[in-house]
Amino acid sequence: MVEPKYPGAVERYINMGSCYDTQALWPLKQEIMTCMKGYKGCYQRAYRCLGAAAEIMEDQRAVLLTDALSQKLAKRARGILSREIPRQKPDTPGQIKQRFLGAVTHRGAVCLYNTALAHRCRVYVLSDSCGLAHELLIHLLAGAAANGFDVIACPDPMAPDRLAHLLIPQLKLAFLSTSGPLEFPGKPFRHIRLDTAADGDIIRRCRPRLRFAKKVSAALVEEAVTSLAQAKAMHDDLEAIYNPHVDFDLVQRMAQDIWEEIQGF
């Protein structure tokens, strides 16, 4: 539920509970309560696993992300900006919108790379198994917006405060990071291997630690996916219980009434 901030004046309640056949559902309450408790528990476990995986990935980044590497990626970003982003002096900077392009689901990690292909973008693919893409993309975002171009910033679903992808529709340009099983399905305009940008001495010295981080974080994500699949199965069971006892015609009538009310404003 969402509580109205200004009830009646700006928002109002919509009672979807009137669409249930409560008399038919009452005998099924124990079955419903068991399914509800089970699927919520699976979601909680999945989130705990994903949170732990994100922490381990952050430890991996902390090992590799030196000041020298940050400067190297900033320099690489400036080179890309000089080639790809026309320099201009706009009256206002470009707008920045946030949209998730990927997620961890009950079917595993997914990324809608075809979104860029649908816009016929020139694609820079960033090979990034160590989570370094943000250090490059943040400079590209700032440069594009400063030159007046609208940007779609796509956070990393495992670390929403960090960028994983960047789309600049006005220039038909996309920067898409790939890692693990997630591969870009087309032929990129450019391919940047961020994994090779890190200091080789650090990688050799910390190889056991990095291997551990990758192995454990992958196992945690896999366990989270399993929990999400279990939650999905239990949620499907809940829908199977509820659906025969919901008046969907009434749902449609309520939706139509609300739509007509909105059109009348």
Side-chain angles (χ1 to χ4, degrees):
M1 283 186 59
V2 177
E3 289 290 334
K5 188 175 181 180
Y6 307 105
V10 178
E11 309 97 348
R12 66 179 176 84
Y13 289 102
I14 299 172
N15 181 20
M16 302 297 293
S18 61
C19 301
Y20 292 125
D21 183 346
T22 53
Q23 289 187 346
L25 289 170
W26 176 255
L28 303 173
K29 65 176 183 179
Q30 194 59 50
E31 190 175 354
I32 290 171
M33 290 168 69
T34 299
C35 283
M36 192 75 73
K37 183 178 179 181
Y39 100 83
K40 286 185 177 179
C42 288
Y43 273 125
Q44 290 170 352
R45 186 163 190 274
Y47 295 148
R48 285 195 291 266
C49 288
L50 291 174
E55 288 295 326
I56 292 175
M57 291 176 185
E58 184 59 37
D59 180 68
Q60 179 180 247
R61 276 193 293 270
V63 171
L64 297 175
L65 193 57
T66 61
D67 289 341
L69 178 56
S70 293
Q71 293 171 10
K72 182 188 294 187
L73 294 177
K75 182 179 179 180
R76 188 70 181 267
R78 289 194 295 271
I80 295 172
L81 286 169
S82 66
R83 292 194 308 271
E84 300 287 359
I85 311 297
R87 301 190 69 174
Q88 50 190 21
K89 295 182 179 180
D91 294 332
T92 58
Q95 293 186 342
I96 299 173
K97 296 181 179 179
Q98 283 200 344
R99 299 288 186 273
F100 279 98
L101 200 63
V104 178
T105 75
H106 68 284
R107 295 180 179 176
V110 298
C111 189
L112 303 180
Y113 291 124
N114 284 327
T115 299
L117 295 176
H119 287 85
R120 298 184 179 181
C121 289
R122 287 174 296 123
V123 175
Y124 278 72
V125 166
L126 314 176
S127 292
D128 182 32
S129 64
C130 299
L132 302 174
H134 174 82
E135 307 303 322
L136 179 76
L137 295 176
I138 195 67
H139 295 289
L140 297 176
L141 181 149
N147 280 286
F149 297 102
D150 295 340
V151 178
I152 300 175
C154 304
D156 183 340
M158 293 292 294
D161 60 330
R162 303 177 63 83
L163 291 176
H165 319 283
L166 201 65
L167 306 177
I168 310 175
Q170 291 165 283
L171 298 176
K172 293 190 177 298
L173 192 60
F175 300 88
L176 307 176
S177 63
T178 63
S179 62
L182 294 176
E183 295 183 358
F184 180 67
K187 185 177 180 181
F189 174 69
R190 291 279 190 277
H191 192 175
I192 299 176
R193 292 175 173 80
L194 292 178
D195 296 342
T196 64
D199 188 299
D201 288 338
I202 293 177
I203 292 176
R204 284 188 290 273
R205 189 169 63 251
C206 300
R207 184 168 281 118
R209 180 176 172 180
L210 295 172
R211 283 178 179 167
F212 172 83
K214 288 183 179 181
K215 182 178 180 180
V216 174
S217 61
L220 285 166
V221 171
E222 184 177 350
E223 189 63 28
V225 169
T226 299
S227 294
L228 289 173
Q230 292 171 346
K232 172 69 165 57
M234 291 180 182
H235 191 271
D236 290 346
D237 291 342
L238 265 177
E239 287 192 344
I241 295 170
Y242 271 103
N243 279 357
H245 310 298
V246 177
D247 186 345
F248 288 103
D249 289 337
L250 178 56
V251 173
Q252 292 295 329
R253 290 197 298 274
M254 290 176 67
Q256 184 62 35
D257 290 344
I258 293 168
W259 174 240
E260 290 176 358
E261 181 182 330
I262 292 171
Q263 287 183 309
F265 289 136

